Amino acid sequence: MVQPKKKRVWDLPTRLFHWLLVLAFALAWATYDDSRHLDIHTISGYTFFALLLFRLVWGVVGSHYARFSEFNYTPGEVLSYLHSLFGDGTKYYIGHNPAGAWAIFILITLGLLLSTTGLIVLGGEEQQGLLAGYISFDQSEPFRMLHEMIAWGILTLVIVHVSGVIIESLLQRENLIGAMFRGTKWVVGESAMVPAHRLIASLIFISAIIWGGLSLNTYLISSDDQPYQPFKGPSLAMNDLWNEECGACHLAFHPSLLPARSWQYLFTQQENHFEEDLMLDEETLSELLNYARENSAEKNKTEAAWKINRSVMKNERPLKITSITYWKEKHSEISDAIWQKKSVQSKSNCGACHFDAEQGTFQDSAMKIPD
Amino acid sequence: MKKLVLMLSTVVLSLAINMQAQAGNVETLQSEYQAAGAGNFSASNGEKMWVKNNLDKKSGKQRNCQTCHGKVLTQSGKHARTGKVIEPLARSVNSERLTDIKFMKKWLKRNCKWTIGRECSAQEKGDFLEYLKGQ
């Protein structure tokens, strides 16, 4: 009987890639349904994407068992491998077995699709990221669903992958999860030389630390007024006259929060503006109205604008933003206790929770419900 | 070079004059009201008007200037409907107050209408300003 020898199978960059990918996916999953943490979701997504791109390169130039050519099995080989699991003559693979190899190829493909659809949704819905400005809200909408479906697909595959690893570990009587940490396996017979590639691994590690630090440092320097730095998209057109006239009595609600016909109606009835007479002269009125028309909800300049405009019937011209279906749904989970808080008090006091209310951007991440 | 300096200084000077004319001061506005028929202004009359309650028929509530500006003019007030903070009116703590004629005219007009239900006379507006000047 040949004694098994402890040999390095997985180089350091491959292992680092593997666990950072797990971390990035887990973080993105934990924050996917929470718009307040869209920034973390996005940062994780970029990390995930960058790791996959690295893996594509590493699959060509990396060490022996990390190369795609090493585990490029045919579907027939996968089937016979799976079949052999139920028999007694399980074939031993030092690197990836055929089923694992296919799981990896599918995971990488789905991962790249996940990253791409994520960028499309980010560009369209938030007007942020690499594709901001190239994609409209309407165009990005179907990709949101696709993005979610792919993520569920990946999660399913991860479960299959982990189950496979556990089965293989039992069959080989070796902790393969541990092997992905240590990099070594007990190998019988000849195996290929695998260098550690410490330099490349250090570069990946340092980049990850710097990138994570730069992206998340604002959480470290947060205060009560500014708990974190909002994840900023493009800024909107501002108008001094608008801010001065409207802002004297209430938040100068950005024109993107109502359709143009609402603004038109609001200004034609200026002598009865929520029981006040605005007494604006002709010149002021026309400047305000022009600014409102050029930046109204129909112009789809923000996610809020797009969704507000979608939810207002064409024959309606709401005067209160808070009467709009989208607004109501979006705020339906906020309890009366919060509305009555001293720092909130009025539903028109957007700035109590939205730090960027004055800028009109209403970023998902620029929001904090007071404690 | 001399020409440029002359040109620049003319521009700066005309800007300065222009700003002065735009902002003006509270006395200029008061003399304007006097030209429109008002007599001498009285801070105590202004104060009486300031705190006098007026019934708003629609809401059935009493209103006076303190409703929004608060009881202490050196402190900030709060918009009655929206709750938006209104910076203190007293110029002893807020140097921007009573410096912009256009601004003063606009708010004297709007706020008289909301509070009393009508526009104020030149005399009344001048009295308000006289009262506020001492704050």
Side-chain angles (χ1 to χ4, degrees):
Chain A
M1 173 108 194
V2 191
Q3 281 298 311
K5 282 186 196 133
K6 202 175 174 184
K7 289 269 186 68
R8 186 186 293 117
V9 176
W10 314 121
D11 60 42
L12 208 46
T14 304
R15 285 178 272 154
L16 211 50
F17 155 79
H18 180 271
W19 295 115
L20 285 175
L21 195 73
V22 171
L23 181 70
F25 187 74
L27 268 179
W29 190 279
T31 51
Y32 89 94
D33 204 20
D34 171 10
S35 13
R36 156 72 178 73
H37 290 115
L38 184 72
D39 48 352
I40 295 186
H41 183 82
T42 308
I43 290 157
S44 316
Y46 278 127
T47 312
F48 186 82
F49 193 27
L51 286 166
L52 287 174
L53 292 180
F54 160 77
R55 188 65 183 90
L56 288 183
V57 176
W58 203 240
V60 179
V61 304
S63 67
H64 184 82
Y65 297 103
R67 292 195 183 189
F68 298 137
S69 55
E70 207 279 324
F71 50 94
N72 184 15
Y73 298 101
T74 63
E77 285 170 295
V78 178
L79 283 177
S80 74
Y81 167 78
L82 289 175
H83 197 254
S84 76
L85 284 179
F86 299 100
D88 47 357
T90 306
K91 199 182 161 201
Y92 174 72
Y93 295 88
I94 299 173
H96 296 295
N97 65 54
W102 271 69
I104 290 164
F105 285 124
I106 299 171
L107 272 173
I108 290 177
T109 310
L110 285 181
L112 291 172
L113 287 173
L114 185 70
S115 309
T116 320
T117 50
L119 278 173
I120 293 173
V121 178
L122 186 71
E125 210 166 282
E126 312 290 333
Q127 297 296 315
Q128 286 176 5
L130 298 178
L131 299 180
Y134 297 104
I135 295 162
S136 74
F137 292 93
D138 291 314
Q139 285 166 337
S140 75
E141 225 204 337
F143 289 95
R144 192 197 169 95
M145 179 73 99
L146 206 58
H147 186 66
E148 276 181 39
M149 280 162 56
I150 295 167
W152 279 102
I154 290 180
L155 187 72
T156 313
L157 209 59
V158 164
I159 293 167
V160 173
H161 167 67
V162 173
S163 315
V165 169
I166 292 170
I167 293 170
E168 267 285 353
S169 298
L170 293 173
L171 286 172
Q172 292 185 22
R173 296 174 196 285
E174 177 162 23
N175 179 358
L176 293 177
I177 297 173
M180 194 41 86
F181 281 106
R182 293 186 307 271
T184 54
K185 283 170 87 172
W186 290 100
V187 175
V188 183
E190 288 302 303
S191 71
M193 237 295 281
V194 174
H197 284 300
R198 286 198 183 83
L199 183 64
I200 292 172
S202 320
L203 284 177
I204 297 172
F205 190 69
I206 291 167
S207 319
I209 298 279
I210 293 176
W211 162 242
L214 285 178
S215 313
L216 301 171
N217 74 326
T218 44
Y219 281 85
L220 302 176
I221 54 170
S222 63
S223 66
D224 282 347
D225 300 340
Q226 186 75 17
Y228 53 90
Q229 189 68 33
F231 195 63
K232 282 201 179 84
S235 50
L236 300 175
M238 286 286 131
N239 181 296
D240 288 341
L241 188 66
W242 180 276
N243 288 344
E244 191 193 314
E245 292 295 344
C246 311
C249 294
H250 52 72
L251 172 73
F253 305 109
H254 195 267
S256 61
L257 300 172
L258 283 175
R261 57 187 181 281
S262 291
W263 292 117
Q264 174 84 40
Y265 186 53
L266 197 92
F267 285 121
T268 53
Q269 321 203 69
Q270 64 147 331
E271 67 288 345
N272 188 17
H273 183 81
F274 300 94
E275 287 160 37
E276 261 190 77
D277 187 346
L278 298 182
M279 298 185 182
L280 300 169
D281 57 47
E282 279 302 314
E283 200 187 329
T284 311
L285 260 185
S286 84
E287 183 177 337
L288 293 180
L289 197 53
N290 274 340
Y291 171 61
R293 281 206 201 98
E294 279 160 24
N295 297 282
S296 66
E298 296 96 322
K299 303 288 181 186
N300 291 341
K301 288 189 176 166
T302 64
E303 182 185 5
W306 177 59
K307 291 186 172 169
I308 284 172
N309 189 43
R310 261 197 332 183
S311 86
V312 178
M313 298 289 187
K314 290 289 164 261
N315 59 353
E316 289 176 335
R317 49 177 182 197
L319 296 182
K320 278 183 167 179
I321 297 158
T322 51
S323 72
I324 293 169
T325 315
Y326 169 67
W327 188 94
K328 286 190 195 160
E329 277 171 15
K330 199 72 183 163
H331 296 83
S332 62
E333 282 171 24
I334 294 173
S335 68
D336 287 346
I338 289 169
W339 289 121
Q340 281 150 18
K341 266 187 199 299
K342 221 177 162 205
S343 63
V344 185
Q345 286 194 338
S346 160
K347 288 191 179 178
S348 67
N349 186 10
C350 312
C353 303
H354 296 278
F355 304 124
D356 58 346
E358 279 177 34
Q359 289 77 42
T361 40
F362 292 89
Q363 295 288 335
D364 293 302
S365 54
M367 164 172 72
K368 187 176 189 273
I369 292 173
D371 306 315
Chain B
M1 188 64 196
K2 250 187 177 171
K3 230 179 174 179
L4 188 73
V5 171
L6 196 71
M7 252 173 66
L8 273 177
S9 49
T10 316
V11 168
V12 170
L13 197 70
S14 58
L15 272 177
I17 293 170
N18 194 23
M19 272 167 69
Q20 181 67 26
Q22 260 186 6
N25 56 32
V26 59
E27 280 78 17
T28 321
L29 181 56
Q30 280 184 313
S31 45
E32 203 178 293
Y33 288 141
Q34 266 164 348
N40 286 336
F41 295 123
S42 145
S44 68
N45 282 350
E47 184 174 7
K48 272 181 217 153
M49 283 270 292
W50 190 265
V51 297
K52 185 174 175 277
N53 276 327
N54 303 280
L55 182 74
D56 174 56
K57 283 175 191 143
K58 247 185 182 169
S59 64
K61 280 184 187 162
Q62 297 285 357
R63 289 172 176 179
N64 66 27
C65 303
Q66 294 180 328
T67 310
C68 293
H69 289 293
K71 288 209 161 64
V72 188
L73 290 181
T74 50
Q75 290 172 10
S76 52
K78 234 170 138 184
H79 191 283
R81 188 182 179 99
T82 66
K84 168 130 184 162
V85 172
I86 300 169
E87 297 301 325
L89 260 187
R91 58 178 175 179
S92 57
V93 296
N94 186 352
S95 60
E96 277 178 34
R97 291 301 191 185
L98 309 184
T99 58
D100 184 336
I101 288 187
K102 204 179 159 199
F103 187 88
M104 286 186 277
K105 277 183 170 172
K106 173 182 151 187
W107 288 105
L108 279 168
K109 192 175 169 191
R110 267 187 70 169
N111 291 347
C112 276
K113 194 141 184 231
W114 185 84
T115 319
I116 312 176
R118 61 168 171 83
E119 283 188 35
C120 292
S121 67
Q123 181 67 47
E124 288 167 326
K125 288 192 266 195
D127 287 343
F128 276 135
L129 292 174
E130 196 62 27
Y131 166 59
L132 292 174
K133 272 159 74 179
Q135 300 300 310

